[in-house]
Short mmCIF file of all heavy atoms in Angstrom, two decimals:
data_model
loop_
_atom_site.label_atom_id
_atom_site.label_comp_id
_atom_site.label_asym_id
_atom_site.label_seq_id
_atom_site.Cartn_x
_atom_site.Cartn_y
_atom_site.Cartn_z
N PRO N 1 28.61 -7.44 56.36
CA PRO N 1 27.61 -8.17 55.82
C PRO N 1 28.06 -9.63 55.55
O PRO N 1 29.24 -9.84 54.92
CB PRO N 1 27.32 -7.37 54.44
CG PRO N 1 27.80 -6.09 54.64
CD PRO N 1 28.95 -6.20 55.59
N VAL N 2 27.32 -10.65 55.86
CA VAL N 2 27.57 -12.04 55.63
C VAL N 2 26.47 -12.63 54.91
O VAL N 2 25.29 -12.57 55.40
CB VAL N 2 27.88 -12.70 56.99
CG1 VAL N 2 28.27 -14.24 56.75
CG2 VAL N 2 29.07 -12.07 57.68
N CYS N 3 26.74 -13.34 53.80
CA CYS N 3 25.72 -14.10 53.09
C CYS N 3 25.90 -15.66 53.26
O CYS N 3 27.09 -16.11 53.03
CB CYS N 3 25.84 -13.84 51.66
SG CYS N 3 24.61 -14.65 50.58
N LEU N 4 25.01 -16.33 53.86
CA LEU N 4 25.08 -17.78 54.02
C LEU N 4 24.28 -18.39 52.93
O LEU N 4 23.00 -18.10 52.91
CB LEU N 4 24.58 -18.13 55.38
CG LEU N 4 25.22 -17.43 56.58
CD1 LEU N 4 24.28 -17.63 57.90
CD2 LEU N 4 26.53 -18.03 56.93
N ILE N 5 24.97 -19.21 52.08
CA ILE N 5 24.15 -19.98 50.95
C ILE N 5 24.41 -21.49 51.33
O ILE N 5 25.59 -22.00 51.35
CB ILE N 5 24.69 -19.72 49.77
CG1 ILE N 5 24.62 -18.08 49.48
CG2 ILE N 5 23.88 -20.35 48.62
CD1 ILE N 5 25.33 -17.65 48.17
N TRP N 6 23.33 -22.19 51.71
CA TRP N 6 23.52 -23.54 52.38
C TRP N 6 22.65 -24.65 51.65
O TRP N 6 21.49 -24.28 51.22
CB TRP N 6 23.03 -23.42 53.80
CG TRP N 6 24.07 -24.05 54.75
CD1 TRP N 6 24.01 -25.37 55.21
CD2 TRP N 6 25.19 -23.50 55.31
NE1 TRP N 6 25.05 -25.56 56.15
CE2 TRP N 6 25.82 -24.37 56.13
CE3 TRP N 6 25.75 -22.23 55.28
CZ2 TRP N 6 26.95 -24.19 56.82
CZ3 TRP N 6 26.89 -21.86 55.96
CH2 TRP N 6 27.45 -22.87 56.77
N GLY N 7 23.25 -25.69 51.47
CA GLY N 7 22.43 -26.94 50.94
C GLY N 7 21.51 -27.49 52.08
O GLY N 7 22.01 -27.76 53.21
N ARG N 8 20.32 -27.55 51.78
CA ARG N 8 19.37 -28.11 52.84
C ARG N 8 19.51 -29.48 53.11
O ARG N 8 19.18 -29.96 54.21
CB ARG N 8 17.90 -27.86 52.29
CG ARG N 8 16.94 -27.73 53.48
CD ARG N 8 15.52 -27.58 52.95
NE ARG N 8 15.27 -26.10 52.57
CZ ARG N 8 14.94 -25.18 53.36
NH1 ARG N 8 14.87 -25.34 54.57
NH2 ARG N 8 14.58 -24.08 52.89
N ASP N 9 20.36 -30.15 52.33
CA ASP N 9 20.71 -31.58 52.54
C ASP N 9 22.15 -31.76 52.92
O ASP N 9 22.67 -32.88 52.65
CB ASP N 9 20.30 -32.48 51.43
CG ASP N 9 18.70 -32.29 51.11
OD1 ASP N 9 18.01 -32.94 51.72
OD2 ASP N 9 18.34 -31.50 50.26
N ASP N 10 22.78 -30.76 53.41
CA ASP N 10 24.26 -30.90 53.80
C ASP N 10 24.32 -31.80 54.99
O ASP N 10 23.75 -31.52 56.05
CB ASP N 10 24.69 -29.49 54.04
CG ASP N 10 26.27 -29.45 54.36
OD1 ASP N 10 26.81 -30.47 54.53
OD2 ASP N 10 26.83 -28.32 54.26
N LYS N 11 25.09 -32.91 54.81
CA LYS N 11 25.19 -33.75 55.94
C LYS N 11 26.51 -33.47 56.65
O LYS N 11 26.73 -34.19 57.84
CB LYS N 11 25.17 -35.29 55.41
CG LYS N 11 23.93 -35.71 54.84
CD LYS N 11 23.68 -37.12 54.49
CE LYS N 11 24.61 -37.46 53.24
NZ LYS N 11 24.00 -37.01 52.01
N ILE N 12 27.46 -32.84 56.11
CA ILE N 12 28.71 -32.55 56.75
C ILE N 12 28.62 -31.29 57.67
O ILE N 12 29.11 -31.30 58.85
CB ILE N 12 29.84 -32.32 55.70
CG1 ILE N 12 30.09 -33.64 55.06
CG2 ILE N 12 31.13 -31.75 56.30
CD1 ILE N 12 30.90 -33.56 53.86
N THR N 13 28.05 -30.15 57.25
CA THR N 13 27.71 -29.03 57.97
C THR N 13 26.12 -28.93 57.88
O THR N 13 25.66 -28.14 57.04
CB THR N 13 28.46 -27.77 57.76
OG1 THR N 13 28.31 -27.64 56.22
CG2 THR N 13 29.94 -27.77 58.09
N PRO N 14 25.36 -29.61 58.64
CA PRO N 14 23.98 -29.80 58.57
C PRO N 14 23.24 -28.37 58.74
O PRO N 14 23.81 -27.37 59.17
CB PRO N 14 23.52 -30.80 59.58
CG PRO N 14 24.76 -31.17 60.32
CD PRO N 14 25.97 -30.43 59.82
N PRO N 15 21.98 -28.38 58.24
CA PRO N 15 21.19 -27.09 58.36
C PRO N 15 21.26 -26.42 59.64
O PRO N 15 21.19 -25.08 59.66
CB PRO N 15 19.83 -27.54 57.95
CG PRO N 15 19.98 -28.74 57.05
CD PRO N 15 21.20 -29.51 57.62
N GLU N 16 21.32 -27.12 60.78
CA GLU N 16 21.31 -26.40 62.07
C GLU N 16 22.55 -25.52 62.25
O GLU N 16 22.55 -24.57 62.89
CB GLU N 16 21.16 -27.37 63.22
CG GLU N 16 22.20 -28.55 63.26
CD GLU N 16 21.59 -29.82 62.51
OE1 GLU N 16 20.86 -29.67 61.68
OE2 GLU N 16 22.16 -30.90 63.04
N VAL N 17 23.67 -25.98 61.44
CA VAL N 17 24.84 -25.21 61.64
C VAL N 17 24.72 -23.70 60.84
O VAL N 17 25.03 -22.71 61.38
CB VAL N 17 26.00 -25.87 60.79
CG1 VAL N 17 27.26 -25.00 60.84
CG2 VAL N 17 26.41 -27.13 61.66
N ALA N 18 23.90 -23.76 59.79
CA ALA N 18 23.66 -22.56 59.09
C ALA N 18 22.69 -21.67 59.93
O ALA N 18 22.82 -20.43 59.97
CB ALA N 18 23.00 -22.87 57.67
N VAL N 19 21.82 -22.27 60.59
CA VAL N 19 20.88 -21.62 61.38
C VAL N 19 21.61 -20.88 62.51
O VAL N 19 21.40 -19.76 62.82
CB VAL N 19 19.72 -22.44 61.93
CG1 VAL N 19 18.91 -21.73 63.01
CG2 VAL N 19 18.87 -23.00 60.86
N GLU N 20 22.53 -21.60 63.08
CA GLU N 20 23.30 -21.06 64.27
C GLU N 20 24.23 -19.92 63.80
O GLU N 20 24.31 -18.88 64.46
CB GLU N 20 24.17 -22.11 64.96
CG GLU N 20 24.76 -21.69 66.22
CD GLU N 20 25.35 -22.91 66.99
OE1 GLU N 20 24.95 -23.99 66.79
OE2 GLU N 20 26.23 -22.63 67.93
N PHE N 21 24.82 -20.08 62.68
CA PHE N 21 25.63 -18.99 62.01
C PHE N 21 24.75 -17.76 61.86
O PHE N 21 25.12 -16.59 62.24
CB PHE N 21 26.20 -19.42 60.66
CG PHE N 21 27.66 -20.07 60.72
CD1 PHE N 21 27.76 -21.23 60.11
CD2 PHE N 21 28.65 -19.37 61.38
CE1 PHE N 21 29.09 -21.86 60.17
CE2 PHE N 21 29.97 -19.97 61.44
CZ PHE N 21 30.11 -21.26 60.76
N ASN N 22 23.61 -17.91 61.28
CA ASN N 22 22.64 -16.82 60.91
C ASN N 22 22.18 -16.17 62.27
O ASN N 22 22.06 -14.85 62.25
CB ASN N 22 21.48 -17.43 60.22
CG ASN N 22 20.68 -16.33 59.61
OD1 ASN N 22 21.04 -15.34 59.01
ND2 ASN N 22 19.33 -16.41 59.81
N GLU N 23 22.08 -16.91 63.40
CA GLU N 23 21.63 -16.37 64.55
C GLU N 23 22.69 -15.44 65.22
O GLU N 23 22.48 -14.38 65.97
CB GLU N 23 20.97 -17.31 65.53
CG GLU N 23 19.74 -17.87 65.03
CD GLU N 23 19.31 -19.12 65.91
OE1 GLU N 23 20.14 -19.61 66.79
OE2 GLU N 23 18.10 -19.59 65.80
N MET N 24 23.93 -16.00 65.18
CA MET N 24 25.03 -15.35 65.93
C MET N 24 25.81 -14.22 65.11
O MET N 24 26.41 -13.36 65.79
CB MET N 24 25.92 -16.53 66.26
CG MET N 24 25.42 -17.52 67.17
SD MET N 24 26.59 -18.73 67.78
CE MET N 24 27.40 -17.72 68.99
N LEU N 25 25.77 -14.31 63.81
CA LEU N 25 26.34 -13.33 63.03
C LEU N 25 25.50 -12.08 62.99
O LEU N 25 24.31 -12.16 62.50
CB LEU N 25 26.80 -13.80 61.65
CG LEU N 25 28.01 -14.68 61.61
CD1 LEU N 25 27.84 -15.53 60.26
CD2 LEU N 25 29.17 -14.02 61.72
N PRO N 26 25.78 -10.83 63.44
CA PRO N 26 24.89 -9.77 63.53
C PRO N 26 24.29 -9.14 62.28
O PRO N 26 23.23 -8.72 62.26
CB PRO N 26 25.83 -8.66 64.15
CG PRO N 26 27.01 -9.34 64.84
CD PRO N 26 27.19 -10.49 63.96
N ASN N 27 25.10 -9.35 61.12
CA ASN N 27 24.52 -8.78 59.88
C ASN N 27 24.56 -9.90 58.79
O ASN N 27 25.07 -9.74 57.77
CB ASN N 27 25.52 -7.61 59.43
CG ASN N 27 24.93 -6.79 58.40
OD1 ASN N 27 23.76 -6.81 58.08
ND2 ASN N 27 25.82 -5.95 57.87
N ALA N 28 23.84 -11.01 59.05
CA ALA N 28 23.80 -12.11 58.19
C ALA N 28 22.47 -12.39 57.41
O ALA N 28 21.46 -11.90 58.07
CB ALA N 28 24.22 -13.43 58.89
N GLU N 29 22.52 -13.02 56.30
CA GLU N 29 21.30 -13.46 55.68
C GLU N 29 21.58 -14.83 55.22
O GLU N 29 22.69 -15.24 54.75
CB GLU N 29 20.99 -12.50 54.56
CG GLU N 29 21.99 -12.45 53.44
CD GLU N 29 21.75 -11.40 52.26
OE1 GLU N 29 21.45 -10.20 52.57
OE2 GLU N 29 21.34 -11.81 51.13
N LEU N 30 20.52 -15.67 55.30
CA LEU N 30 20.66 -17.06 55.01
C LEU N 30 19.75 -17.50 53.86
O LEU N 30 18.48 -17.20 53.85
CB LEU N 30 20.16 -17.90 56.30
CG LEU N 30 20.11 -19.39 56.08
CD1 LEU N 30 21.44 -20.13 55.71
CD2 LEU N 30 19.69 -20.03 57.57
N HIS N 31 20.24 -18.23 52.89
CA HIS N 31 19.61 -18.71 51.82
C HIS N 31 19.75 -20.17 51.71
O HIS N 31 20.89 -20.69 51.71
CB HIS N 31 19.99 -18.02 50.45
CG HIS N 31 19.93 -16.51 50.53
ND1 HIS N 31 18.75 -15.89 50.45
CD2 HIS N 31 20.84 -15.53 50.83
CE1 HIS N 31 18.99 -14.49 50.65
NE2 HIS N 31 20.35 -14.31 50.69
N TRP N 32 18.58 -20.89 51.41
CA TRP N 32 18.60 -22.41 51.36
C TRP N 32 18.64 -22.73 49.91
O TRP N 32 17.91 -22.21 49.07
CB TRP N 32 17.45 -23.04 52.07
CG TRP N 32 17.49 -22.76 53.47
CD1 TRP N 32 16.69 -21.92 54.22
CD2 TRP N 32 18.28 -23.40 54.54
NE1 TRP N 32 16.90 -21.94 55.58
CE2 TRP N 32 17.90 -22.81 55.81
CE3 TRP N 32 19.29 -24.35 54.42
CZ2 TRP N 32 18.49 -23.20 56.99
CZ3 TRP N 32 19.93 -24.74 55.66
CH2 TRP N 32 19.62 -24.19 56.83
N ILE N 33 19.34 -23.87 49.60
CA ILE N 33 19.14 -24.49 48.27
C ILE N 33 18.71 -26.00 48.55
O ILE N 33 19.45 -26.75 49.20
CB ILE N 33 20.46 -24.44 47.42
CG1 ILE N 33 20.98 -23.03 47.25
CG2 ILE N 33 20.34 -25.19 46.13
CD1 ILE N 33 22.27 -22.90 46.50
N ASP N 34 17.60 -26.31 47.90
CA ASP N 34 17.01 -27.61 48.18
C ASP N 34 17.70 -28.65 47.34
O ASP N 34 18.46 -28.36 46.30
CB ASP N 34 15.52 -27.63 47.80
CG ASP N 34 14.71 -26.83 48.70
OD1 ASP N 34 15.07 -26.67 49.86
OD2 ASP N 34 13.59 -26.23 48.25
N LYS N 35 17.65 -29.88 47.80
CA LYS N 35 18.32 -31.02 47.17
C LYS N 35 19.78 -30.67 46.75
O LYS N 35 20.20 -30.89 45.70
CB LYS N 35 17.53 -31.36 45.78
CG LYS N 35 16.17 -31.81 46.14
CD LYS N 35 15.43 -32.24 44.75
CE LYS N 35 13.97 -32.68 45.12
NZ LYS N 35 13.25 -33.12 43.89
N CYS N 36 20.42 -30.26 47.89
CA CYS N 36 21.83 -29.92 47.68
C CYS N 36 22.57 -30.22 48.95
O CYS N 36 22.07 -30.06 50.04
CB CYS N 36 21.82 -28.34 47.43
SG CYS N 36 23.45 -27.62 47.20
N GLY N 37 23.80 -30.60 48.78
CA GLY N 37 24.65 -31.06 49.89
C GLY N 37 25.58 -29.96 50.31
O GLY N 37 25.30 -28.81 50.43
#
């Protein structure tokens, strides 16, 4: 199990990075935090 907790305004590892992690990790869940880097 992998939990991804990501800032929606992350400029260093931007949101598309989290989406890619979520798609490629077989047992992942992704949660967004707004107004967060």
Side-chain angles (χ1 to χ4, degrees):
V2 181
C3 181
L4 304 162
I5 308 175
W6 228 264
R8 204 180 283 277
D9 301 279
D10 187 341
K11 295 189 284 288
I12 294 174
T13 48
E16 55 265 30
V17 174
V19 171
E20 192 168 340
F21 270 127
N22 192 47
E23 289 172 349
M24 298 185 74
L25 289 160
N27 192 12
E29 58 183 66
L30 172 58
H31 304 283
W32 296 107
I33 300 181
D34 292 328
K35 297 183 178 179
C36 181

